[in-house]
Amino acid sequence: MSGKQEITFEEGIGKLEQIVRELEQKEVSLEDALNLFREGIEMVQHCNGLLDHAEKQMEILLEGPGGELEVRPADFAVEG
């Protein structure tokens, strides 16, 4: 799917909901169902990538050595 980088998380979730609705229709051909499934998997991967990126950008408020609060970039391990 071209242009995935421009799709927001919310748009991706909306697209996934649309794909699920289409797959639930009984008159979908096997070929169309496979294409929809493939597109859905790609969209899930895209949305996961957006979540990973957002997680890395989060900042956490931590207590420093002197008891003061300091803001530092989050350093989460990314699986996958």
Side-chain angles (χ1 to χ4, degrees):
M1 171 177 220
S2 63
K4 273 191 294 196
Q5 300 303 334
E6 299 173 15
I7 296 174
T8 66
F9 180 78
E10 292 78 10
E11 291 168 336
I13 294 298
K15 180 64 178 169
L16 283 169
E17 290 172 346
Q18 176 186 347
I19 289 170
V20 168
R21 282 191 301 274
E22 289 180 38
L23 285 171
E24 289 176 338
Q25 295 177 8
K26 294 180 182 174
E27 58 272 356
V28 175
S29 70
L30 178 59
E31 184 177 345
D32 288 343
L34 288 172
N35 287 331
L36 286 167
F37 183 76
R38 185 177 300 114
E39 185 179 355
I41 294 297
E42 289 175 2
M43 193 57 57
V44 166
Q45 291 171 341
H46 174 71
C47 289
N48 279 336
L50 291 173
L51 285 175
D52 288 343
H53 181 70
E55 185 177 55
K56 288 180 182 180
Q57 290 183 328
M58 286 175 35
E59 295 180 327
I60 18 179
L61 193 58
L62 301 172
E63 187 174 330
E68 73 283 356
L69 295 177
E70 57 185 45
V71 175
R72 289 191 262 168
D75 185 21
F76 300 109
V78 178
E79 296 180 17

